[in-house]
Amino acid sequence: MSKTSRLLLSSAAALLLASASPALADKASNTLNVAFSAEPEPLDTYKIAGREGLILARHVYDGLLYKDLESGTFKPALAESWEQTGPLTMEFTLRKGVKFHNGADFTADDVVATLGAVSDPAYGTRYAISVDWIGKVEKLDSHKVRITMAKPFAGAIEMLADALPIYPQAEFAATGSEGMARNPVGTGPYRLVEQEPGVRYVLERFADHYAGSPKSGATIDRIVVRTIPEMNTQYAELMSGALDWIWRIPPDQAAQLESRVQVVSAPIIRISFVNFALQDGTPLADKRVRQAILHAVNRQAIVDAFAGGASEVLKAACNPVQFGCAQDVTTYEYAPEKAKALLAEAGLADGFTLPMVFAAMPRPVAEAVAADLAKVGITLQLDELQYAAGVGKWREGQVPAFFSNWGSYGIGDVVFTLSNFFGGGADDLLKDPELTEWLTLADTSTDPAVRQEAYAKALKKIADEALWMPMYGFNVNYGLSNDLSFTPHPDEFARFWQASWK
Amino acid sequence: MVSYLFRRLVVAFCVCIAVSMLSFGLMFMAGDPSIAIAGQGGSAADAEAVRAAYGFDRPFLVQYLDWIGSALLGDFGQSIYFHIPVTEIIGNRLPVTLQLGALSFGLALVLAVPLGIAAALKPNGLVDRLALVLAVTGQAVPSFWLGLMAIVVFGVWYGLVPISGADTWRGYILPVVVLTYSALPAMMRITRSGMIDVLAADYIRTAYAKGLPLRIVVLRHALRNAVLPLVSLAAVQLGILLSGSIVIESVFALNGLGRLAWESLLRADLPVVQAIILILSLVYVVLTTASDLLNAMLDPRIRGAR
């Protein structure tokens, strides 16, 4: 379906829907009906990347810790307390009386078996960064474990906060990853009672969920999750009362739905950016040219026109809600005349042609950037690619400018952002030794002050040198039945255990 | 007839192999599958791990032979996305597509043939004009638009049928009607034009002259020859319906093969994509071969044709 026909169709459907009368949601049977556009992956959290599967998994499983996003603090979950016992060792005292969904008791063996298995490269955990810091996991007694880190990593606690779920040892040993995908068993507030992979999932409130859990207090009995790929169909279902919760509604559609159902827009950690490759002899090697580009693009207008909702223009190369995302950096206001002057200074008064690959970004946004740059004489050659093809070309150095987005795994710490692009890895074509050094220090230190200072230095340099064009932070629009109370979070993990009926 | 059948089967097999090889190659040309599988947050190291784990670092020919060898034995490997055997996923999704395709095809055929005949009996008559309107709108109106309008009117406004999913048979009503409406025009028009040609033939005039009633002339004498082009067209239409209407499956949230193919393509789930392509090319080959054989049975002159 072409974009134009989609747009026409959406408008027609929205007009027709506007005259429809909404039915009651499924408050009566205390069942929350949820739709995702994308098919959730199997619920072995360690093997998956898609947010849909991860959301379901967080209802089924628990981690040792939990991060309270409101206060930014870590709370005890399966571990009732923990302490840093050495530069590379942490000890966790586990909660007693916790039951898995299959009735098994939660003990230190479960932690040792799970974290031990998934940190073994042979297991094939999807994101190495999430587990490659785990060196050794030892049982100290039935409810006490020690984790020895393989390397210093400041994101360790973040990871242990619900991103690394604990599986039941006996079941996991017997059935492995496939078993956990087919028959997920956790300690979470909901248990999976029915699944047709990728299609339909039914979760039921776990009556024996442990007291004192940061995820306790669920009031909704059943959650039925279906995959409905067509957004217009989701709107129709939401209107007719067959759905209570949908998300990722495009801004224009959100505005149209607002009169019929609840629409909530919430900022998320995912950010968009343009990354520059600074090959010698090319215009982008000149700092003034990069600065000119930053001055030439009217990012506020782009946000207003295309992102809407809770989105905001970014100052630095990270999301301000993340730990370490210093905001005291050089910013570039929209000033086309200044951009022209900088280009003239760089000897490019007549402009130049810049190829830019964009992936996982809407074409209209890329075209808006091109239109702004055209006003100062820069002809942007747009090349839209699938994400894999785009990032592949970037890593091979074939792309001078790459426009995409980054979600930091939904984690509020720049340790999952900056090093990927400036820490010397494959996505860092610059390989600036100073930046790499600061980021390594910040990523490995356990002292928040040291980390903050090092990140600030790195962000300042990135901004001063205009190595990146930070674009904007994304937002997610949720469509909710009028009966539902739901609070979105910036990490894009829907917490249905906190949802309730009005 | 046997040698005709044998020749058609050999050609069919070669077509399947060629399609599978081509599609296998195209998947690799569309970007590095390792990066796609590693996901948007995947580092280069993650992509490398995927490359090694799934053997994407092996030479292309080795990968292809490995895959086709297992596929011929019925083993399509594991889905990279769902971590379960491909045959299991396809086994789950195929019934939806089969039911949707078969129902729509059956309904379209049942409506198209009588309507085509009725239109042909009185060209430019009322039935013919109505059939023309039906054909033009059926071909001109995009099925996704029709689907969404049907959802809004019958699902939202009147609440007569489910909007999405195939939990009960009622979930099939709207998608089958919409698909039928799209498949109907071509079959009806080819029946009509075939019938008009045949009805003008000398042997029909002779049949009338012998005093045979209209019903016998049309159904026994004319129809057999008039349906020859319809058989070939119907095979293709059925192929299209069975290969899964991605759009209709998406609009009505039916988790059939068409949607699975599309989603798997986007997430570089190679084993699933390859299996579906092979199965669908087989479906087409079987259907076109069957239609050729049916035509050969209906018209003995075709059997002798080289």
Side-chain angles (χ1 to χ4, degrees):
Chain A
M1 207 187 300
S2 75
K3 279 183 181 153
T4 318
S5 54
R6 243 179 207 289
L7 192 68
L8 284 170
L9 184 66
S10 301
S11 309
L15 273 175
L16 283 168
L17 284 168
S19 53
S21 54
L24 283 175
D26 216 357
K27 180 180 176 180
S29 66
N30 203 5
T31 298
L32 180 72
N33 290 296
V34 169
F36 291 139
S37 306
E39 298 180 339
E41 291 168 90
L43 306 190
D44 175 6
T45 308
Y46 294 97
K47 296 274 180 108
I48 66 178
R51 194 49 55 114
E52 290 78 9
L54 291 172
I55 286 175
L56 297 181
R58 288 201 174 198
H59 288 76
V60 175
Y61 306 115
D62 287 319
L64 291 177
L65 310 174
Y66 182 85
K67 187 169 185 181
D68 179 356
L69 288 176
E70 277 78 39
S71 63
T73 56
F74 295 97
K75 288 185 165 178
L78 288 176
E80 62 181 16
S81 65
W82 68 99
E83 58 177 326
Q84 190 88 32
T85 49
L88 289 177
T89 52
M90 292 178 277
E91 284 182 14
F92 296 82
T93 303
L94 307 179
R95 209 182 281 264
K96 287 179 180 149
V98 177
K99 291 262 184 216
F100 280 100
H101 298 158
N102 62 0
D105 289 318
F106 164 72
T107 68
D109 292 328
D110 304 308
V111 179
V112 173
T114 307
L115 298 183
V118 301
S119 58
D120 180 350
Y123 187 79
T125 294
R126 170 63 60 84
Y127 294 133
I129 189 174
S130 65
V131 290
D132 64 2
W133 57 273
I134 300 174
K136 199 161 67 172
V137 189
E138 295 164 278
K139 174 181 173 179
L140 300 180
D141 66 35
S142 71
H143 283 84
K144 196 157 189 173
V145 290
R146 180 190 295 136
I147 298 177
T148 307
M149 294 165 76
K151 60 178 183 184
F153 178 51
I157 293 290
E158 286 277 356
M159 272 299 157
L160 290 167
D162 228 15
L164 303 181
I166 303 302
Y167 296 155
Q169 183 258 333
E171 188 125 354
F172 189 41
T175 60
S177 169
E178 200 182 322
M180 295 316 293
R182 280 185 187 275
N183 182 29
V185 177
T187 55
Y190 284 86
R191 60 193 189 95
L192 191 77
V193 291
E194 196 186 313
Q195 73 165 326
E196 198 183 325
V199 178
R200 184 185 156 90
Y201 301 78
V202 180
L203 300 162
E204 224 171 60
R205 196 152 59 92
F206 180 43
D208 291 335
H209 187 53
Y210 64 94
S213 162
K215 292 181 184 175
S216 61
T219 58
I220 290 173
D221 287 341
R222 268 166 80 84
I223 305 171
V224 178
V225 179
R226 290 190 293 142
T227 305
I228 301 179
E230 175 58 51
M231 287 306 288
N232 286 299
T233 311
Q234 292 192 15
Y235 307 151
E237 291 276 33
L238 186 63
M239 295 283 188
S240 66
L243 285 176
D244 305 299
W245 187 98
I246 64 174
W247 73 337
R248 294 182 174 169
I249 304 170
D252 53 333
Q253 295 300 304
Q256 301 216 33
L257 281 172
E258 236 157 6
S259 61
R260 315 297 304 166
V261 291
Q262 295 184 77
V263 174
V264 178
S265 178
I268 57 171
I269 287 170
R270 184 168 297 276
I271 56 171
S272 60
F273 61 88
V274 178
N275 209 350
F276 299 128
L278 279 52
Q279 276 104 347
D280 286 342
T282 60
L284 289 181
D286 190 323
K287 174 179 158 181
R288 291 166 299 188
V289 174
R290 301 193 299 273
Q291 289 176 325
I293 291 174
L294 268 78
H295 277 304
V297 178
N298 190 347
R299 289 172 287 164
Q300 188 58 54
I302 288 175
V303 168
D304 294 342
F306 301 108
S311 284
E312 281 184 12
V313 171
L314 299 174
K315 288 181 182 167
C318 45
N319 192 313
V321 303
Q322 291 176 302
F323 172 88
C325 189
Q327 296 296 291
D328 181 21
V329 296
T330 307
T331 51
Y332 299 84
E333 80 282 5
Y334 176 56
E337 290 311 318
K338 207 183 255 183
K340 280 185 194 163
L342 280 163
L343 287 175
E345 221 180 281
L348 290 164
D350 297 333
F352 65 96
T353 299
L354 175 68
M356 181 173 89
V357 165
F358 70 103
M361 286 303 296
R363 175 168 274 277
V365 177
E367 283 171 349
V369 173
D372 280 345
L373 290 182
K375 288 178 199 158
V376 298
I378 300 171
T379 308
L380 205 59
Q381 275 178 347
L382 291 177
D383 183 10
E384 184 171 13
L385 291 176
Q386 286 287 328
Y387 182 78
V391 84
K393 281 194 168 186
W394 169 259
R395 285 172 188 166
E396 286 164 17
Q398 298 174 18
V399 179
F402 182 50
F403 183 23
S404 193
N405 67 72
W406 183 254
S408 303
Y409 315 95
I411 290 174
D413 192 310
V414 292
V415 65
F416 296 101
T417 309
L418 288 181
S419 288
N420 187 69
F421 299 100
F422 300 102
D427 283 338
D428 176 12
L429 302 189
L430 183 67
K431 299 213 168 23
D432 179 279
E434 207 170 31
L435 280 177
T436 309
E437 190 191 319
W438 290 332
L439 292 176
T440 307
L441 170 69
D443 288 354
T444 55
S445 169
T446 50
D447 183 343
V450 172
R451 295 186 66 212
Q452 216 139 19
E453 192 194 332
Y455 284 136
K457 274 199 237 170
L459 286 167
K460 190 171 179 317
K461 180 166 185 177
I462 293 165
D464 285 347
E465 300 290 318
L467 300 173
W468 238 49
M469 174 154 68
M471 290 293 290
Y472 55 88
F474 285 82
N475 69 76
V476 167
N477 294 309
Y478 299 80
L480 313 173
S481 88
N482 289 325
D483 288 329
L484 187 70
S485 290
F486 171 83
T487 308
H489 289 85
D491 59 4
E492 281 180 274
F493 284 110
R495 290 154 167 83
F496 296 130
W497 62 82
Q498 291 178 352
S500 61
W501 303 111
K502 285 181 180 169
Chain B
M1 191 75 179
V2 175
S3 74
Y4 178 74
L5 177 67
F6 181 72
R7 270 186 285 128
R8 294 291 288 114
L9 289 179
V10 170
V11 171
F13 180 75
C14 294
V15 168
C16 285
I17 295 293
V19 167
S20 70
M21 197 180 274
L22 201 65
S23 59
F24 203 87
L26 284 174
M27 283 297 292
F28 281 85
M29 284 166 70
D32 187 342
S34 313
I35 299 177
I37 294 163
Q40 217 176 318
S43 64
D46 292 326
E48 274 312 314
V50 168
R51 196 168 290 127
Y54 293 102
F56 294 142
D57 46 1
R58 297 172 302 161
F60 171 76
L61 196 63
V62 173
Q63 291 187 58
Y64 175 74
L65 290 176
D66 195 26
W67 171 75
I68 194 81
S70 304
L72 289 174
L73 296 171
D75 175 13
F76 291 101
Q78 280 231 330
S79 158
I80 292 169
Y81 191 77
F82 289 115
H83 310 297
I84 53 178
V86 172
T87 43
E88 193 179 320
I89 301 169
I90 291 180
N92 288 339
R93 306 289 175 97
L94 193 60
V96 173
T97 300
L98 283 181
Q99 286 170 45
L100 191 63
L103 286 171
S104 312
F105 178 75
L107 194 58
L109 201 62
V110 163
L111 292 173
V113 173
L115 213 52
I117 293 171
L121 286 175
K122 272 198 183 171
N124 293 321
L126 184 65
V127 176
D128 192 24
R129 281 167 195 273
L130 283 175
L132 185 69
V133 170
L134 196 69
V136 169
T137 51
Q139 275 173 332
V141 174
S143 57
F144 63 84
W145 185 85
L146 197 64
L148 280 166
M149 291 304 112
I151 283 178
V152 170
V153 175
F154 298 106
V156 180
W157 284 1
Y158 296 109
L160 296 172
V161 279
I163 290 168
S164 62
D167 295 339
T168 67
W169 64 271
R170 295 175 68 235
Y172 282 100
I173 295 176
L174 289 185
V176 165
V177 168
V178 171
L179 271 181
T180 302
Y181 195 59
S182 311
L184 183 73
M187 294 205 278
M188 188 185 69
R189 300 203 69 174
I190 210 159
T191 307
R192 177 188 175 274
S193 61
M195 204 50 137
I196 286 175
D197 285 349
V198 172
L199 287 176
D202 288 343
Y203 73 93
I204 297 294
R205 211 167 33 235
T206 309
Y208 278 128
K210 284 197 295 184
L212 290 175
L214 178 71
R215 187 173 55 85
I216 301 292
V217 174
V218 170
L219 296 181
R220 201 168 292 170
H221 292 256
L223 191 60
R224 183 171 173 144
N225 286 319
V227 295
L228 292 178
L230 174 67
V231 169
S232 308
L233 176 78
V236 176
Q237 288 279 14
L238 182 58
I240 292 170
L241 292 173
L242 288 185
S243 57
S245 167
I246 295 166
V247 172
I248 289 301
E249 286 181 10
S250 295
V251 167
F252 290 99
L254 297 169
N255 300 285
L257 215 56
R259 263 208 46 224
L260 179 67
W262 175 245
E263 300 278 340
S264 302
L265 203 61
L266 291 181
R267 55 196 176 217
D269 196 346
L270 267 73
V272 177
V273 175
Q274 298 306 331
I276 292 177
I277 288 173
L278 194 65
I279 289 168
L280 292 186
S281 54
L282 265 172
V283 165
Y284 271 98
V285 164
V286 167
L287 286 175
T288 49
T289 309
S291 80
D292 286 354
L293 293 175
L294 190 59
N295 271 340
M297 278 165 62
L298 288 168
D299 185 351
R301 289 169 297 180
I302 295 174
R303 279 172 246 167
R306 296 277 171 210

